[in-house]
Amino acid sequence: MARPNAPDRFNEEKATCVIRGSGAADDKPDLERGAEAIRSVVRKLPTRPGVYRMLDARGDVLYVGKARALKNRVTNYTQVARLPQRLQRMVSQTRAMEIVTTTSEAEALLLEAQLIKRYRPPYNVLLRDDKSFPFILLRMDHDFPRVQKHRGARRAKGRYYGPFASAGSVTKTLNALQKTFLLRSCTDSFFANRSRPCLLYQIKRCSAPCVGRIDTEEYAGLVSDAQDFLEGRSTAVQKRLGDAMTKSAEAMDFEQAAVLRDRLKSLTFIQGSQSVHADGLGDADVFALAAKGGQLCVAGFFIRGGQNWGHRSFFPAHVSGVPEEEVMASFLMQFYEGVPPPKTILVDREPAEIELLAEALGEVAERKVEISVPQRGNRRRLLEQAVRNAGEELDRRLAESSSQAKLGRELAELFDLENPPQRIEIYDNSHIQGTNALGAMVVAGPEGWIKGAYRKFNIKRAETMPGDDFAMMREVFQRRFARALEEDPERTKGEWPDLVLIDGGKGQVSAVAGVFAELGIDDLPFVGVAKGPDRNAGRETFHWPDGREFTLPPNNAALFYIQRLRDEAHRFAIGAHRAKRSKALGSSPLDEVPGIGPSRKKALLMHFGTARAVRGASLEDLQKAPGVSAAVAQAVHDFYHAGNG
């Protein structure tokens, strides 16, 4: 269970000292130059704990490491003959270093994890997972606490239960909570404006505190039972429900007895579905590692209060040549950089520096954290299940990679690429009769969607006429690639595409060709994907910039893949457009008036009825509106009558 008000983790601003050193500003790999740059820093280093960063000629972070004694650890990099090939490559690119000293090695380990997450260095093992974990939040800032799903920063007052492996496992548990404990899930504003029970009360999934069907004391009892259930004390809850059902039956209150029976059945069902033979385990995470074919998988099970809250598989990057115990240690630190550690962590192999790792995680959790490799009993059986999952997930991944590699080769042949594309960008536009127009870009690579690279472009240039799809595409591409030329003209950061797909036909392709000609980009492959006759999938026509066209057989694997790419771009564009349209529906012309807050807008609208009436009102009429000062009235009048309206 996470605590929202826990102290902030150790961060760089708390460091006791920062040392920076630089070497030659030469961007060509050179082992001796790199070693000399490191030697220039070593001369200034203390023998204290801390974190070091290797920087290349552009100042980008190559590697983040921690040390018990900085001088001793960093000196090792100057003995290049003893380094493995991977680290020799890193040293050859190093041109500067940044050193941060800390008060303890555990603090250095925490800072290392933060910096790896921030900089994503190419020579560190990286936990590739762009999804935040969902939690259940029991809000405690209301007389009738609300239960809800939660992602992101834990700022709201209440008790957090998690992490859950997926949104599905949260939804399943929330459904059980509603059926068993009848807690409300509605927002406070919805709650405050009810005059009769909603549908959830009718289907016996809420106790309707909004209309007084239950008092605060009785509702507090339901909240207490829900907390016991989420914290693993479901047996006690089961006994209380059973006793209450028996008393109701003895009192001839069979209707209430039936309600309690249904709640008891819901609780029994969810207990059975969550059973993982974790008796006595309490709160624990279980991790197992599998390696094959140059790839590696870590399978994780999340147990809270002896209940299974789901499992997830992870595929860390940059693991080639790194010992598996170091991969496990790095994985755990990065994983718990964003998730509160439980009391117990079970692993299938001992991670590097296990005692230091436990100490650092204990500082994060503010209590003792145990990391162990179980040898027998229920814990061992649970770990073996995680081991099997890791192996099976890795086999699936390898099979998918083989299939994806074949698709990559087919795309390279299809679009005359030198190599299989590592980054494909797909573009689409969305609008309704020109309103709320935007462009969308989604990105795919050999391992799937790169969702952190998705972008949306609000169409805002005056010269882009509403509803002009070609002009919209011109604006999107001009903004995207003008910025790319400014920020990465050498195309070394991996943010330039190898292939561009455009949802559209000749007109869109011609618009993009014009943009590339203006920007001087003449080596970027792009093609339009036009829907077939009657917009039938499987009959798409591909348009080259030079006017050539071609189609693919309906059962072609590359065509299926391109359809998935296009559909994802369409999904993202439609979703972004709907969000923009929804926001616009809730806006008012008064939003444009500077210095007018929500309460003043409400006062004006309540007095005049419409925004149009406010716009046409005289200064005297504006001053008569309740809650509107003379200064505000003057500001509104000036905005609409001084050439701004």
Side-chain angles (χ1 to χ4, degrees):
M1 183 181 68
R3 287 170 294 176
N5 300 318
D8 291 339
R9 309 251 182 105
F10 180 82
N11 59 60
E12 196 170 356
E13 284 67 35
K14 296 180 181 178
T16 57
C17 175
V18 177
I19 300 173
R20 291 181 174 87
S22 62
D26 184 356
D27 59 355
K28 295 180 180 179
D30 187 312
L31 196 57
E32 185 52 41
R33 284 181 180 272
E36 181 55 38
I38 296 170
R39 288 189 195 101
S40 70
V41 176
V42 168
R43 299 184 190 109
K44 311 170 191 176
L45 285 180
T47 54
R48 296 181 55 181
V51 174
Y52 55 92
R53 274 172 274 181
M54 306 288 196
L55 310 178
D56 65 13
R58 295 190 306 273
D60 294 335
V61 178
L62 294 169
Y63 181 77
V64 176
K66 63 88 190 159
R68 180 187 296 115
L70 282 166
K71 193 177 189 72
N72 300 343
R73 181 72 185 91
V74 176
T75 298
N76 291 338
Y77 292 103
T78 64
Q79 301 169 6
V80 293
R82 299 181 181 180
L83 297 176
Q85 189 174 7
R86 168 175 158 271
L87 294 184
Q88 285 186 3
R89 288 199 305 271
M90 180 187 73
V91 170
S92 72
Q93 297 174 49
T94 300
R95 295 294 178 269
M97 290 187 68
E98 288 192 356
I99 308 293
V100 180
T101 59
T102 60
T103 56
S104 71
E105 192 179 4
E107 285 186 347
L109 191 59
L110 293 173
L111 178 56
E112 179 193 38
Q114 290 182 8
L115 295 178
I116 290 172
K117 186 174 182 179
R118 183 192 305 174
Y119 294 113
R120 313 291 292 172
Y123 287 95
N124 281 98
V125 173
L126 296 181
L127 172 56
R128 291 183 302 194
D129 191 57
D130 58 358
K131 302 174 185 175
S132 62
F133 283 85
F135 286 75
I136 284 178
L137 168 59
L138 187 58
R139 298 195 64 145
M140 306 301 286
D141 54 358
H142 195 281
D143 290 340
F144 296 97
R146 169 192 178 195
V147 64
Q148 66 184 85
K149 180 163 47 178
H150 178 85
R151 282 188 190 267
R154 294 182 285 277
R155 298 191 182 97
K157 182 181 178 182
R159 298 179 69 87
Y160 293 80
Y161 299 90
F164 287 80
S166 65
S169 55
V170 172
T171 301
K172 186 177 180 181
T173 304
L174 279 175
N175 287 339
L177 287 173
Q178 289 179 320
K179 291 177 183 177
T180 308
F181 305 109
L182 310 180
L183 300 183
R184 76 177 183 98
S185 58
C186 58
T187 63
D188 290 350
S189 59
F190 186 86
F191 179 94
N193 290 292
R194 295 300 301 177
S195 58
R196 55 181 180 152
C198 68
L199 179 63
L200 288 177
Y201 175 78
Q202 307 296 335
I203 62 175
K204 296 181 174 60
R205 290 180 61 170
C206 181
S207 52
C210 54
V211 292
R213 298 295 172 94
I214 186 172
D215 59 29
T216 53
E217 184 177 351
E218 191 176 355
Y219 191 87
L222 296 179
V223 171
S224 178
D225 284 348
Q227 288 177 310
D228 286 344
F229 168 74
L230 288 168
E231 293 169 11
R233 297 186 291 274
S234 53
T235 303
V237 178
Q238 219 166 1
K239 186 177 185 307
R240 283 197 293 272
L241 286 174
D243 291 345
M245 182 181 68
T246 301
K247 288 180 181 178
S248 296
E250 290 174 350
M252 310 294 283
D253 187 354
F254 298 115
E255 185 175 349
Q256 178 63 16
V259 170
L260 292 167
R261 179 204 61 203
D262 292 342
R263 290 175 59 193
L264 193 58
K265 285 172 64 178
S266 297
L267 179 60
T268 304
F269 172 78
I270 196 67
Q271 280 179 308
S273 66
Q274 290 183 328
S275 175
V276 290
H277 307 293
D279 298 339
L281 191 54
D283 294 347
D285 289 340
V286 184
F287 295 105
L289 184 151
K292 185 188 296 184
Q295 294 199 43
L296 188 146
C297 172
V298 178
F301 284 73
F302 309 111
I303 312 299
R304 296 296 181 270
Q307 302 175 53
N308 177 16
W309 284 3
H311 64 275
R312 185 183 289 186
S313 296
F314 306 86
F315 298 89
H318 308 163
V319 296
S320 178
V322 182
E324 291 178 2
E325 60 270 16
E326 291 185 19
V327 173
M328 180 63 83
S330 185
F331 166 83
L332 291 175
M333 278 310 304
Q334 291 180 54
F335 178 81
Y336 289 115
E337 210 286 318
V339 173
K343 294 179 180 178
T344 304
I345 300 171
L346 306 181
V347 290
D348 70 329
R349 68 202 64 209
E350 188 172 292
E353 301 181 298
I354 185 171
E355 294 179 0
L356 175 64
L357 195 60
E359 179 187 350
L361 294 179
E363 288 190 16
V364 173
E366 297 185 298
R367 52 170 163 70
K368 184 179 179 181
V369 172
E370 176 195 1
I371 304 176
S372 64
V373 183
Q375 302 299 319
R376 60 184 67 86
N378 285 340
R379 294 187 175 197
R380 183 64 196 179
R381 285 193 289 274
L382 184 56
L383 186 61
E384 288 170 352
Q385 187 176 347
V387 170
R388 286 194 298 273
N389 267 45
E392 291 168 359
E393 288 294 329
L394 184 56
D395 287 341
R396 275 194 287 271
R397 179 73 164 221
L398 290 171
E400 290 172 1
S401 297
S402 175
S403 174
Q404 189 66 35
K406 183 179 178 183
L407 272 175
R409 292 192 296 270
E410 290 185 17
L411 289 177
E413 183 177 348
L414 186 63
F415 297 116
D416 298 329
L417 308 178
E418 290 185 8
N419 298 297
Q422 300 302 301
R423 180 183 172 107
I424 304 173
E425 293 183 358
I426 310 96
Y427 292 83
D428 192 12
N429 293 330
S430 184
H431 63 92
I432 294 180
Q433 295 181 341
T435 63
N436 302 309
L438 56 78
M441 175 188 88
V442 303
V443 185
E447 297 179 358
W449 305 113
I450 309 175
K451 295 196 173 182
Y454 284 20
R455 294 291 181 269
K456 56 185 178 183
F457 301 83
N458 289 313
I459 304 301
K460 55 189 179 183
R461 292 181 176 173
E463 63 267 26
T464 304
M465 298 297 293
D468 187 341
D469 283 338
F470 306 152
M472 288 171 61
M473 197 64 76
R474 275 195 299 271
E475 178 176 336
V476 168
F477 272 79
Q478 207 283 329
R479 286 163 57 187
R480 159 69 176 109
F481 287 97
R483 183 170 182 176
L485 284 170
E486 179 184 348
E487 296 182 351
D488 186 20
E490 302 300 324
R491 308 188 188 185
T492 57
K493 295 183 179 180
E495 296 177 358
W496 279 76
D498 302 308
L499 174 65
V500 172
L501 298 178
I502 304 158
D503 186 14
K506 293 179 181 178
Q508 284 84 357
V509 170
S510 178
V512 173
V515 172
F516 283 169
E518 291 172 10
L519 296 175
I521 300 172
D522 57 7
D523 58 348
L524 191 57
F526 64 99
V527 66
V529 185
K531 298 177 180 68
D534 302 320
R535 307 179 75 83
N536 285 345
R539 302 176 66 187
E540 286 81 359
T541 301
F542 295 85
H543 296 269
W544 287 105
D546 60 8
R548 288 178 295 149
E549 299 177 7
F550 70 94
T551 59
L552 292 173
N555 60 349
N556 184 275
L559 176 60
F560 291 151
Y561 180 57
I562 292 168
Q563 288 171 349
R564 292 202 305 273
L565 297 178
R566 182 200 59 202
D567 291 347
E568 172 67 1
H570 191 61
R571 180 203 65 78
F572 183 64
I574 289 291
H577 168 74
R578 285 174 177 166
K580 185 177 181 181
R581 191 176 72 217
S582 176
K583 184 177 180 181
L585 289 173
S587 65
S588 163
L590 295 179
D591 294 338
E592 301 172 5
V593 184
I596 306 298
S599 60
R600 301 285 170 79
K601 281 189 288 187
K602 183 176 181 181
L604 288 166
L605 289 171
M606 291 292 289
H607 183 74
F608 290 99
T610 66
R612 178 178 291 182
V614 175
R615 179 174 182 164
S618 66
L619 178 61
E620 292 75 15
D621 289 338
L622 289 168
Q623 291 173 336
K624 293 176 183 178
V628 177
S629 67
V632 170
Q634 188 70 53
V636 174
H637 184 270
D638 290 348
F639 181 82
Y640 284 123
H641 296 86
N644 296 322

